[in-house]
Amino acid sequence: MQYIKSVSLASFFLLVLVQGQAQPSFQANYDESKVPPYTLPELLKTTTNREVRDKETWEKVRRPEIITLFEENVYGQMPKAYDRLTYSIKNKNTSAMGGKATLKEVVIEVVRNSKSLKINLVLFVPNQQTGPVPVFLLINNRGKDNTDPTRSHKSDFWPAETVIDSGYAIAAIHVSDLAPDDTVNYVNGVLQLYPDQLTANDGMRAIGAWAWGASRALDYFEKDAAIDARKVVVVGHSRGGKASLWAAAEDQRFAMCVTNCSGNTGAALSRRGFGETVSRINTVFPHWFATNYKKFNNKVAELPLDQHMLIAAIAPRPLYATNATKDLWADPRGTFLSLKQAEIVYALYGIKSNLPANPPVVNHAIVRAPLGYHIREGEHNLTAFDWINFVKFASVYFKR
Ligand code: GCU
């Protein structure tokens, strides 16, 4: 009886953990004065202690090293091989949104070793355009209704009409096609094509699978004449924003990255231990990152990397990060500092960052900078305000 009682108590706590609610023993630090002193790994020094002074050394030596460090220790390998990628247009409507856009519902099928994976892509392309257009691709980690192709349900999480009116295409894939977001079923997607990953300590997990899926959508864009595949912006919110960063770092075909409220193991510096921590994220979401990452649960100072290095791996491409005032869990200050740290890599390309020394005031968007940023008033979410600024930021860089 006693045994049964403790088992059910244990499973209760496990349930609490899995659902991402407050972990009984976890107290997040929200006090800036309690952020421990920390030393970040140097961006411009190779693992063999060589100084990186030019973009050639960055590209040939240091950047690949950084990608390998993230693969081995955080997000896992990014398998690139597949036998076949085909796509079919399941539904097309040239007079969607009252004639303003063409809707395409595309099924991308990827086959490897006779296993097949189907990824559903929803895409709206503005009709009033003469040539191929840039596209925003959202890695949707929330309900599928947010990206409703019929538009009977509209949501600021993916404000397709606003984006179309601005002259951009907008697309979305859903994480459940790639790795369902739960501790058991995450294997039922991309990982069926790459079963070896499951037994490797540096094997891909859910966040890696979502990023992988974004690259397959990009494979499709390269074949769609309506899309300018050299101008694809990968966008993600929160856990999706961790994946958008990883996708942009791994796949240099992405022209731009947007990471919205991505927090821990996204854009925020792990060593600050402010809000969510590495140990907490690995415990509550054990299916997100490679097994190796768990070694650092209570030893973040020993990580051979921090998240500023992921931002830097996206350079010289423009990157936009956001936070929200009521979302201290995602460590706004640690996100801004991460961007600041990465400036020196943009400088190797002669690109001047216009970021101020401290985070801008609330609701002030820095869009004229290679590292764009805003902290919006409000909750942890992806909103119309955020999207309007993504469009402004893209328009600066795509000169539209
Ligand atoms: C949880 C998790 C975060 C994540 C967020 C989200 O709060 O701890 O790391 O970013 O969910 O995806 O909304």
Side-chain angles (χ1 to χ4, degrees):
M1 192 56 203
Q2 190 56 41
Y3 170 75
I4 294 176
K5 212 167 155 188
S6 55
V7 167
S8 54
L9 203 65
S11 41
F12 167 74
F13 281 124
L14 194 68
L15 190 73
V16 168
L17 290 180
V18 166
Q19 290 184 338
Q21 307 297 319
Q23 190 181 348
S25 60
F26 182 75
Q27 282 286 326
N29 173 40
Y30 291 126
D31 181 349
E32 205 54 52
S33 73
K34 294 203 176 110
V35 170
Y38 59 87
T39 309
L40 294 174
E42 281 188 51
L43 273 168
L44 299 186
K45 197 168 263 171
T46 69
T47 44
T48 54
N49 257 336
R50 192 170 141 206
E51 298 275 351
V52 179
R53 294 207 180 84
D54 49 68
K55 65 173 197 253
E56 288 72 28
T57 315
W58 169 259
E59 282 174 7
K60 286 207 189 77
V61 185
R62 185 59 175 148
R63 185 181 180 282
E65 269 182 10
I66 288 175
I67 296 291
T68 303
L69 286 172
F70 278 104
E71 285 174 350
E72 285 176 356
N73 298 291
V74 184
Y75 304 100
Q77 298 297 315
M78 181 64 84
K80 303 229 158 68
Y82 50 79
D83 300 331
R84 201 168 68 241
L85 182 140
T86 53
Y87 61 87
S88 51
I89 311 286
K90 188 171 84 176
N91 179 31
K92 182 171 177 179
N93 175 5
T94 54
S95 54
M97 295 181 181
K100 284 201 278 197
T102 293
L103 162 70
K104 285 182 201 166
E105 287 181 75
V106 185
V107 180
I108 303 167
E109 184 177 16
V110 190
V111 176
R112 179 164 189 265
N113 290 345
S114 355
K115 296 264 190 212
S116 147
L117 175 79
K118 290 199 170 109
I119 310 169
N120 294 286
L121 175 84
V122 182
L123 169 66
F124 284 99
V125 183
N127 283 337
Q128 285 218 327
Q129 293 293 325
T130 44
V133 287
V135 61
F136 287 91
L137 168 69
L138 176 71
I139 302 173
N140 181 14
N141 58 294
R142 292 223 178 137
K144 280 194 177 156
D145 56 349
N146 284 297
T147 63
D148 180 13
T150 72
R151 307 312 292 149
S152 57
H153 181 270
K154 295 196 177 81
S155 148
D156 283 347
F157 198 75
W158 193 72
E161 285 73 11
T162 310
V163 174
I164 288 293
D165 287 342
S166 313
Y168 290 83
I170 181 161
I173 50 175
H174 197 268
V175 297
S176 60
D177 286 352
L178 303 159
D181 193 6
D182 81 59
T183 52
V184 177
N185 292 308
Y186 74 95
V187 297
N188 298 325
V190 179
L191 285 160
Q192 300 211 309
L193 305 189
Y194 305 105
D196 294 358
Q197 296 292 317
L198 287 168
T199 49
N201 287 333
D202 63 350
M204 163 198 264
R205 294 291 182 269
I207 299 249
W210 304 342
W212 183 95
S215 286
R216 299 299 73 78
L218 181 36
D219 293 342
Y220 164 75
F221 293 141
E222 287 182 335
K223 295 178 182 144
D224 186 331
I227 300 296
D228 184 346
R230 288 159 312 160
K231 292 184 178 157
V232 180
V233 189
V234 60
V235 182
H237 164 67
S238 206
R239 62 196 73 187
K242 306 181 208 292
S244 70
L245 282 170
W246 183 229
E250 269 284 341
D251 189 340
Q252 292 183 275
R253 294 175 301 164
F254 286 110
M256 192 178 288
C257 177
V258 172
T259 185
N260 197 75
C261 298
S262 60
N264 188 273
T265 323
L269 293 174
S270 302
R271 278 172 175 73
R272 280 172 43 85
F274 190 102
E276 188 171 27
T277 61
V278 169
S279 151
R280 174 63 163 54
I281 206 167
N282 273 331
T283 310
V284 181
F285 305 100
H287 61 297
W288 281 0
F289 307 108
T291 306
N292 278 343
Y293 196 34
K294 298 181 176 64
K295 291 187 201 155
F296 300 97
N297 274 355
N298 292 303
K299 298 187 204 151
V300 273
E302 288 176 28
L303 269 169
L305 49 84
D306 209 313
Q307 298 304 116
H308 64 308
M309 292 161 72
L310 187 61
I311 309 280
I314 295 170
R317 293 163 292 155
L319 171 124
Y320 198 87
T322 76
N323 286 111
T325 51
K326 292 189 181 153
D327 183 21
L328 296 182
W329 184 241
D331 190 8
R333 188 170 176 77
T335 300
F336 184 79
L337 292 176
S338 191
L339 265 54
K340 278 299 284 177
Q341 288 286 334
E343 284 179 319
I344 51 175
V345 175
Y346 286 78
L348 289 180
Y349 290 83
I351 299 174
K352 216 171 157 272
S353 158
N354 293 322
L355 283 181
N358 286 301
V361 294
V362 172
N363 292 342
H364 173 77
I366 300 174
V367 292
R368 296 192 171 277
L371 290 156
Y373 180 81
H374 71 238
I375 173 159
R376 163 182 60 70
E377 198 176 339
E379 312 280 345
H380 178 73
N381 202 356
L382 174 54
T383 69
F385 177 89
D386 299 317
W387 277 100
I388 286 165
N389 288 300
F390 305 161
V391 169
K392 283 189 189 158
F393 182 68
S395 299
V396 170
Y397 285 93
F398 296 155
K399 303 199 171 27
R400 290 173 72 85

